[in-house]
Amino acid sequence: MYHLEVLNKWERGEDFYPVYVELGPTTVCNHRCVHCYIRYLGFKTVFLDRGVMLKLVRDLGRLGVKALCFAGTGEPFLHKATPEAIHEAKKSGLDVAVATNGVLFSRDIAEKTLPDLTWIRFSVLGGGSATYKKYQGAHEGDWERLLKNLAEAVRIKKKRRLGVTIGVVFFVFKGNGVDIVPLARLLKKIGVDYLVIKPVGDYRKNKFLADKDLHLAFGRGLKIAEKLSTKGYLVQVRWDMFQKWGEKPYGKCLSLPFMTVIDADGGIYACGGYWQDKRYLYGNLYKHSFKQIWDSPKRKRLSKYMESRVDFKECYNCCRNHSINRFLWSLTQKPAHVNFI
């Protein structure tokens, strides 16, 4: 609703460039989170060419893309050129964000990147070393490194008076739910801007099955954590995701023109549920520019095909496209007498 010029084009059936792009600089990750939804891909070792990545972010800026998030199928900061690409993206007019496990987010990297970031979000699956190591698939000493890096990032933000939002996402499992309140208190002490608490989703391509109704099992802790919120620190429990786990109240995946994902192999894919799946590959940056790929008949044809034919049973049931689809679907199902507001 905040991009009405794009929304109007969509309603008129016109072409436009995506509002949001997610980029994975590498497929390599230094952790093995128990719920990792791309585990089925086998953790290959692929790094996007530095020159290709820098050209891409410049092109996205020129095309009017609004935001770029460095995330993907690996840990972004394992790619040495990620800080440079963040700076180039910001210089090109993009709002820039990073999703990271934070262990590599050292003071040096923080100093280089925080001034250019709109937000940075750390994925943390425990409130103490043992739980964190078990569910994050982390290494010895990573918990201590994470806390040090978080504190350093907050210090740099305050010292330089930066506008970047520093947040943490915590996914709840049966075994780490007891850490909800301790983690919320710890992060408040460190001084991050927010903690968001979510359920984990299922993905049929993996053997992992998520525990359901954990908002009932840990309801008291979730409510205590919420009450720790202050003017400068928000604890947000995604009650909607807990209570309506896996529900998809729409008949089509309408969000694909508004967002896309790019993997370290140079491939531009329809969405994050189909990384490295050639059936849903729009094109490759090693062969064509982003503009050429997005404007191509193949991309338009594939996007329309997925809009109507995608089987939600194959999708990750807590996908990023979910909220957008819910909103867009409501626009296509207009009730009678819409002018009586």
Side-chain angles (χ1 to χ4, degrees):
M1 71 179 73
Y2 298 106
H3 300 278
L4 292 179
E5 75 286 356
V6 177
L7 197 59
N8 288 333
K9 288 183 179 181
W10 175 76
E11 290 191 300
R12 294 193 297 263
E14 298 175 8
D15 289 329
F16 55 89
Y17 295 104
V19 175
Y20 168 82
V21 173
E22 179 178 335
L23 170 62
T26 180
T27 60
V28 182
C29 190
N30 52 332
H31 285 174
R32 291 291 183 269
C33 299
V34 296
H35 70 302
C36 180
Y37 82 105
I38 49 87
R39 184 177 292 272
Y40 70 96
L41 294 174
F43 303 106
K44 300 171 186 175
T45 301
V46 182
F47 290 86
L48 185 61
D49 178 78
R50 170 183 170 275
V52 171
M53 182 157 58
L54 294 178
K55 181 182 184 304
L56 168 67
V57 300
R58 296 185 193 113
D59 287 348
L60 294 179
R62 281 194 290 266
L63 294 173
V65 172
K66 304 295 184 184
L68 174 65
C69 180
F70 289 81
T73 61
E75 165 53 46
F77 289 113
L78 279 168
H79 196 306
K80 293 181 179 179
T82 294
E84 181 183 6
I86 289 172
H87 180 68
E88 196 65 28
K90 180 65 175 179
K91 195 167 70 172
S92 300
L94 295 162
D95 286 343
V96 192
V98 178
T100 175
N101 59 46
V103 172
L104 301 175
F105 198 65
S106 63
R107 181 173 64 181
D108 180 56
I109 293 177
E111 291 278 9
K112 291 177 181 177
T113 60
L114 286 177
D116 294 319
L117 291 176
T118 301
W119 56 261
I120 182 168
R121 187 180 66 225
F122 298 81
S123 178
V124 181
L125 301 183
S129 180
T131 312
Y132 175 78
K133 184 178 179 181
K134 178 180 179 181
Y135 286 91
Q136 194 95 11
H139 304 286
E140 199 67 44
D142 279 358
W143 173 250
E144 291 74 20
R145 278 185 281 271
L146 169 68
L147 296 183
K148 179 181 178 182
N149 291 344
L150 274 172
E152 193 63 33
V154 170
R155 185 192 67 80
I156 292 169
K157 173 185 173 175
K158 291 179 178 178
K159 181 181 178 181
R160 300 179 63 174
R161 298 183 180 179
L162 303 175
V164 58
T165 301
I166 300 173
V168 170
V169 61
F170 178 83
F171 291 95
V172 183
F173 303 85
K174 279 184 178 178
N176 73 352
V178 296
D179 283 0
I180 291 170
V181 175
L183 179 64
R185 287 175 174 153
L186 177 60
L187 295 175
K188 183 176 184 177
K189 183 178 179 181
I190 290 173
V192 303
D193 296 301
Y194 73 83
L195 164 65
V196 63
I197 304 170
K198 299 180 179 181
V200 177
D202 280 346
Y203 196 26
R204 65 184 300 176
K205 295 180 181 181
N206 293 316
K207 294 180 180 179
F208 174 81
L209 293 176
D211 298 314
K212 303 173 184 63
D213 296 325
L214 293 180
H215 63 296
L216 302 177
F218 299 108
R220 183 173 178 272
L222 291 170
K223 291 174 182 177
I224 292 173
E226 277 187 320
K227 290 179 180 179
L228 292 172
S229 296
T230 61
K231 186 178 179 180
Y233 175 60
L234 172 66
V235 178
Q236 181 184 47
V237 178
R238 291 297 304 271
W239 295 108
D240 58 324
M241 295 181 70
F242 280 110
Q243 294 164 355
K244 297 182 179 181
W245 189 93
E247 291 184 18
K248 294 186 181 293
Y250 38 84
K252 294 182 179 180
C253 186
L254 299 170
S255 61
L256 299 178
F258 293 85
M259 58 196 298
T260 195
V261 298
I262 304 173
D263 203 12
D265 62 359
I268 302 178
Y269 296 90
C271 78
Y274 297 99
W275 294 107
Q276 300 171 28
D277 190 330
K278 292 182 179 180
R279 295 176 300 166
Y280 305 106
L281 172 67
Y282 292 152
N284 195 287
L285 293 170
Y286 285 101
K287 296 180 180 179
H288 301 98
S289 69
F290 184 90
K291 184 180 189 304
Q292 289 172 324
I293 294 169
W294 197 261
D295 291 344
S296 70
K298 179 182 179 182
R299 196 279 304 172
K300 297 172 187 177
R301 185 174 63 251
L302 190 52
S303 183
K304 279 294 181 184
Y305 170 81
M306 289 189 69
E307 176 184 301
S308 301
R309 300 292 299 277
V310 67
D311 182 359
F312 293 140
K313 292 179 182 178
E314 290 187 2
C315 294
Y316 181 63
N317 59 14
C318 291
C319 75
R320 180 174 293 278
N321 300 59
H322 175 69
S323 294
I324 311 173
N325 277 327
R326 190 170 54 193
F327 171 73
L328 294 174
W329 182 250
S330 71
L331 295 183
T332 67
Q333 309 297 305
K334 292 179 180 177
H337 317 306
V338 295
N339 292 333
F340 290 87
I341 60 174

PDB file of all heavy atoms in Angstrom, residues 45-65:
ATOM      1  N   THR A  45      29.565 -25.080  -2.332  1.00  0.00           N
ATOM      2  CA  THR A  45      30.479 -23.956  -2.179  1.00  0.00           C
ATOM      3  C   THR A  45      30.480 -23.123  -3.444  1.00  0.00           C
ATOM      4  O   THR A  45      31.146 -23.450  -4.433  1.00  0.00           O
ATOM      5  CB  THR A  45      31.909 -24.450  -1.864  1.00  0.00           C
ATOM      6  OG1 THR A  45      31.890 -25.222  -0.665  1.00  0.00           O
ATOM      7  CG2 THR A  45      32.855 -23.271  -1.696  1.00  0.00           C
ATOM      8  N   VAL A  46      29.711 -22.037  -3.433  1.00  0.00           N
ATOM      9  CA  VAL A  46      29.600 -21.148  -4.588  1.00  0.00           C
ATOM     10  C   VAL A  46      29.681 -19.702  -4.100  1.00  0.00           C
ATOM     11  O   VAL A  46      29.042 -19.343  -3.110  1.00  0.00           O
ATOM     12  CB  VAL A  46      28.270 -21.360  -5.345  1.00  0.00           C
ATOM     13  CG1 VAL A  46      28.217 -20.460  -6.577  1.00  0.00           C
ATOM     14  CG2 VAL A  46      28.094 -22.821  -5.742  1.00  0.00           C
ATOM     15  N   PHE A  47      30.471 -18.898  -4.784  1.00  0.00           N
ATOM     16  CA  PHE A  47      30.580 -17.478  -4.477  1.00  0.00           C
ATOM     17  C   PHE A  47      30.267 -16.681  -5.743  1.00  0.00           C
ATOM     18  O   PHE A  47      30.818 -16.968  -6.802  1.00  0.00           O
ATOM     19  CB  PHE A  47      31.988 -17.119  -3.989  1.00  0.00           C
ATOM     20  CG  PHE A  47      32.321 -17.654  -2.632  1.00  0.00           C
ATOM     21  CD1 PHE A  47      32.821 -18.939  -2.474  1.00  0.00           C
ATOM     22  CD2 PHE A  47      32.138 -16.869  -1.503  1.00  0.00           C
ATOM     23  CE1 PHE A  47      33.125 -19.442  -1.224  1.00  0.00           C
ATOM     24  CE2 PHE A  47      32.446 -17.360  -0.241  1.00  0.00           C
ATOM     25  CZ  PHE A  47      32.935 -18.645  -0.098  1.00  0.00           C
ATOM     26  N   LEU A  48      29.389 -15.695  -5.626  1.00  0.00           N
ATOM     27  CA  LEU A  48      29.072 -14.843  -6.755  1.00  0.00           C
ATOM     28  C   LEU A  48      30.282 -13.976  -7.091  1.00  0.00           C
ATOM     29  O   LEU A  48      30.919 -13.406  -6.195  1.00  0.00           O
ATOM     30  CB  LEU A  48      27.873 -13.943  -6.415  1.00  0.00           C
ATOM     31  CG  LEU A  48      27.332 -13.052  -7.530  1.00  0.00           C
ATOM     32  CD1 LEU A  48      26.832 -13.887  -8.699  1.00  0.00           C
ATOM     33  CD2 LEU A  48      26.219 -12.156  -7.005  1.00  0.00           C
ATOM     34  N   ASP A  49      30.607 -13.888  -8.365  1.00  0.00           N
ATOM     35  CA  ASP A  49      31.746 -13.088  -8.799  1.00  0.00           C
ATOM     36  C   ASP A  49      31.596 -11.633  -8.330  1.00  0.00           C
ATOM     37  O   ASP A  49      30.514 -11.042  -8.445  1.00  0.00           O
ATOM     38  CB  ASP A  49      31.842 -13.129 -10.329  1.00  0.00           C
ATOM     39  CG  ASP A  49      32.969 -12.276 -10.859  1.00  0.00           C
ATOM     40  OD1 ASP A  49      34.129 -12.706 -10.792  1.00  0.00           O
ATOM     41  OD2 ASP A  49      32.674 -11.144 -11.324  1.00  0.00           O
ATOM     42  N   ARG A  50      32.662 -11.078  -7.805  1.00  0.00           N
ATOM     43  CA  ARG A  50      32.626  -9.719  -7.269  1.00  0.00           C
ATOM     44  C   ARG A  50      32.140  -8.711  -8.315  1.00  0.00           C
ATOM     45  O   ARG A  50      31.279  -7.872  -8.030  1.00  0.00           O
ATOM     46  CB  ARG A  50      34.025  -9.321  -6.781  1.00  0.00           C
ATOM     47  CG  ARG A  50      34.168  -7.849  -6.416  1.00  0.00           C
ATOM     48  CD  ARG A  50      35.594  -7.503  -6.022  1.00  0.00           C
ATOM     49  NE  ARG A  50      35.792  -6.063  -5.894  1.00  0.00           N
ATOM     50  CZ  ARG A  50      36.074  -5.261  -6.908  1.00  0.00           C
ATOM     51  NH1 ARG A  50      36.202  -5.772  -8.135  1.00  0.00           N
ATOM     52  NH2 ARG A  50      36.239  -3.958  -6.717  1.00  0.00           N
ATOM     53  N   GLY A  51      32.678  -8.793  -9.522  1.00  0.00           N
ATOM     54  CA  GLY A  51      32.301  -7.862 -10.578  1.00  0.00           C
ATOM     55  C   GLY A  51      30.826  -7.979 -10.943  1.00  0.00           C
ATOM     56  O   GLY A  51      30.145  -6.965 -11.170  1.00  0.00           O
ATOM     57  N   VAL A  52      30.327  -9.213 -10.995  1.00  0.00           N
ATOM     58  CA  VAL A  52      28.910  -9.445 -11.301  1.00  0.00           C
ATOM     59  C   VAL A  52      28.035  -8.851 -10.207  1.00  0.00           C
ATOM     60  O   VAL A  52      27.003  -8.224 -10.486  1.00  0.00           O
ATOM     61  CB  VAL A  52      28.636 -10.959 -11.464  1.00  0.00           C
ATOM     62  CG1 VAL A  52      27.132 -11.230 -11.565  1.00  0.00           C
ATOM     63  CG2 VAL A  52      29.362 -11.504 -12.688  1.00  0.00           C
ATOM     64  N   MET A  53      28.457  -9.024  -8.955  1.00  0.00           N
ATOM     65  CA  MET A  53      27.681  -8.516  -7.833  1.00  0.00           C
ATOM     66  C   MET A  53      27.642  -6.984  -7.829  1.00  0.00           C
ATOM     67  O   MET A  53      26.575  -6.383  -7.617  1.00  0.00           O
ATOM     68  CB  MET A  53      28.245  -9.051  -6.506  1.00  0.00           C
ATOM     69  CG  MET A  53      27.456  -8.614  -5.285  1.00  0.00           C
ATOM     70  SD  MET A  53      27.638  -9.681  -3.830  1.00  0.00           S
ATOM     71  CE  MET A  53      29.422  -9.618  -3.550  1.00  0.00           C
ATOM     72  N   LEU A  54      28.766  -6.346  -8.079  1.00  0.00           N
ATOM     73  CA  LEU A  54      28.809  -4.884  -8.077  1.00  0.00           C
ATOM     74  C   LEU A  54      28.006  -4.303  -9.237  1.00  0.00           C
ATOM     75  O   LEU A  54      27.304  -3.289  -9.078  1.00  0.00           O
ATOM     76  CB  LEU A  54      30.255  -4.400  -8.131  1.00  0.00           C
ATOM     77  CG  LEU A  54      31.119  -4.728  -6.903  1.00  0.00           C
ATOM     78  CD1 LEU A  54      32.545  -4.228  -7.104  1.00  0.00           C
ATOM     79  CD2 LEU A  54      30.525  -4.132  -5.636  1.00  0.00           C
ATOM     80  N   LYS A  55      28.086  -4.936 -10.390  1.00  0.00           N
ATOM     81  CA  LYS A  55      27.282  -4.480 -11.536  1.00  0.00           C
ATOM     82  C   LYS A  55      25.799  -4.630 -11.230  1.00  0.00           C
ATOM     83  O   LYS A  55      24.983  -3.766 -11.567  1.00  0.00           O
ATOM     84  CB  LYS A  55      27.642  -5.269 -12.794  1.00  0.00           C
ATOM     85  CG  LYS A  55      26.847  -4.831 -14.029  1.00  0.00           C
ATOM     86  CD  LYS A  55      27.204  -5.659 -15.250  1.00  0.00           C
ATOM     87  CE  LYS A  55      26.482  -5.152 -16.490  1.00  0.00           C
ATOM     88  NZ  LYS A  55      25.015  -5.104 -16.362  1.00  0.00           N
ATOM     89  N   LEU A  56      25.445  -5.728 -10.600  1.00  0.00           N
ATOM     90  CA  LEU A  56      24.048  -5.989 -10.269  1.00  0.00           C
ATOM     91  C   LEU A  56      23.473  -4.878  -9.387  1.00  0.00           C
ATOM     92  O   LEU A  56      22.396  -4.346  -9.682  1.00  0.00           O
ATOM     93  CB  LEU A  56      23.910  -7.329  -9.544  1.00  0.00           C
ATOM     94  CG  LEU A  56      22.550  -7.590  -8.887  1.00  0.00           C
ATOM     95  CD1 LEU A  56      21.464  -7.733  -9.943  1.00  0.00           C
ATOM     96  CD2 LEU A  56      22.615  -8.803  -7.972  1.00  0.00           C
ATOM     97  N   VAL A  57      24.166  -4.528  -8.298  1.00  0.00           N
ATOM     98  CA  VAL A  57      23.600  -3.541  -7.377  1.00  0.00           C
ATOM     99  C   VAL A  57      23.477  -2.177  -8.044  1.00  0.00           C
ATOM    100  O   VAL A  57      22.524  -1.426  -7.776  1.00  0.00           O
ATOM    101  CB  VAL A  57      24.409  -3.452  -6.055  1.00  0.00           C
ATOM    102  CG1 VAL A  57      24.417  -4.807  -5.351  1.00  0.00           C
ATOM    103  CG2 VAL A  57      25.824  -2.968  -6.291  1.00  0.00           C
ATOM    104  N   ARG A  58      24.401  -1.846  -8.927  1.00  0.00           N
ATOM    105  CA  ARG A  58      24.293  -0.586  -9.670  1.00  0.00           C
ATOM    106  C   ARG A  58      23.084  -0.620 -10.600  1.00  0.00           C
ATOM    107  O   ARG A  58      22.338   0.359 -10.706  1.00  0.00           O
ATOM    108  CB  ARG A  58      25.565  -0.333 -10.467  1.00  0.00           C
ATOM    109  CG  ARG A  58      26.818  -0.127  -9.614  1.00  0.00           C
ATOM    110  CD  ARG A  58      28.014   0.237 -10.477  1.00  0.00           C
ATOM    111  NE  ARG A  58      29.268   0.149  -9.729  1.00  0.00           N
ATOM    112  CZ  ARG A  58      30.220  -0.748  -9.965  1.00  0.00           C
ATOM    113  NH1 ARG A  58      30.079  -1.637 -10.944  1.00  0.00           N
ATOM    114  NH2 ARG A  58      31.318  -0.776  -9.225  1.00  0.00           N
ATOM    115  N   ASP A  59      22.898  -1.741 -11.278  1.00  0.00           N
ATOM    116  CA  ASP A  59      21.759  -1.895 -12.190  1.00  0.00           C
ATOM    117  C   ASP A  59      20.430  -1.795 -11.445  1.00  0.00           C
ATOM    118  O   ASP A  59      19.485  -1.169 -11.923  1.00  0.00           O
ATOM    119  CB  ASP A  59      21.844  -3.235 -12.924  1.00  0.00           C
ATOM    120  CG  ASP A  59      22.922  -3.259 -13.994  1.00  0.00           C
ATOM    121  OD1 ASP A  59      23.452  -2.177 -14.322  1.00  0.00           O
ATOM    122  OD2 ASP A  59      23.235  -4.364 -14.489  1.00  0.00           O
ATOM    123  N   LEU A  60      20.357  -2.421 -10.274  1.00  0.00           N
ATOM    124  CA  LEU A  60      19.119  -2.385  -9.498  1.00  0.00           C
ATOM    125  C   LEU A  60      18.757  -0.948  -9.124  1.00  0.00           C
ATOM    126  O   LEU A  60      17.590  -0.548  -9.173  1.00  0.00           O
ATOM    127  CB  LEU A  60      19.254  -3.239  -8.235  1.00  0.00           C
ATOM    128  CG  LEU A  60      19.413  -4.754  -8.440  1.00  0.00           C
ATOM    129  CD1 LEU A  60      19.566  -5.452  -7.091  1.00  0.00           C
ATOM    130  CD2 LEU A  60      18.231  -5.339  -9.209  1.00  0.00           C
ATOM    131  N   GLY A  61      19.775  -0.175  -8.756  1.00  0.00           N
ATOM    132  CA  GLY A  61      19.542   1.223  -8.421  1.00  0.00           C
ATOM    133  C   GLY A  61      19.033   2.012  -9.611  1.00  0.00           C
ATOM    134  O   GLY A  61      18.093   2.801  -9.503  1.00  0.00           O
ATOM    135  N   ARG A  62      19.634   1.798 -10.770  1.00  0.00           N
ATOM    136  CA  ARG A  62      19.230   2.520 -11.981  1.00  0.00           C
ATOM    137  C   ARG A  62      17.807   2.156 -12.409  1.00  0.00           C
ATOM    138  O   ARG A  62      17.083   2.985 -12.970  1.00  0.00           O
ATOM    139  CB  ARG A  62      20.201   2.220 -13.122  1.00  0.00           C
ATOM    140  CG  ARG A  62      21.507   3.010 -13.055  1.00  0.00           C
ATOM    141  CD  ARG A  62      22.262   2.920 -14.358  1.00  0.00           C
ATOM    142  NE  ARG A  62      22.805   1.582 -14.577  1.00  0.00           N
ATOM    143  CZ  ARG A  62      24.032   1.215 -14.246  1.00  0.00           C
ATOM    144  NH1 ARG A  62      24.839   2.088 -13.649  1.00  0.00           N
ATOM    145  NH2 ARG A  62      24.462  -0.006 -14.478  1.00  0.00           N
ATOM    146  N   LEU A  63      17.403   0.920 -12.141  1.00  0.00           N
ATOM    147  CA  LEU A  63      16.080   0.453 -12.569  1.00  0.00           C
ATOM    148  C   LEU A  63      14.965   0.869 -11.612  1.00  0.00           C
ATOM    149  O   LEU A  63      13.792   0.648 -11.902  1.00  0.00           O
ATOM    150  CB  LEU A  63      16.095  -1.076 -12.717  1.00  0.00           C
ATOM    151  CG  LEU A  63      16.984  -1.631 -13.833  1.00  0.00           C
ATOM    152  CD1 LEU A  63      17.048  -3.146 -13.763  1.00  0.00           C
ATOM    153  CD2 LEU A  63      16.489  -1.170 -15.198  1.00  0.00           C
ATOM    154  N   GLY A  64      15.328   1.434 -10.469  1.00  0.00           N
ATOM    155  CA  GLY A  64      14.314   1.904  -9.537  1.00  0.00           C
ATOM    156  C   GLY A  64      13.888   0.891  -8.499  1.00  0.00           C
ATOM    157  O   GLY A  64      12.889   1.101  -7.802  1.00  0.00           O
ATOM    158  N   VAL A  65      14.630  -0.214  -8.376  1.00  0.00           N
ATOM    159  CA  VAL A  65      14.370  -1.144  -7.282  1.00  0.00           C
ATOM    160  C   VAL A  65      14.565  -0.393  -5.971  1.00  0.00           C
ATOM    161  O   VAL A  65      15.492   0.405  -5.827  1.00  0.00           O
ATOM    162  CB  VAL A  65      15.322  -2.364  -7.372  1.00  0.00           C
ATOM    163  CG1 VAL A  65      15.199  -3.247  -6.141  1.00  0.00           C
ATOM    164  CG2 VAL A  65      15.023  -3.172  -8.632  1.00  0.00           C
TER     165      VAL A  65
END
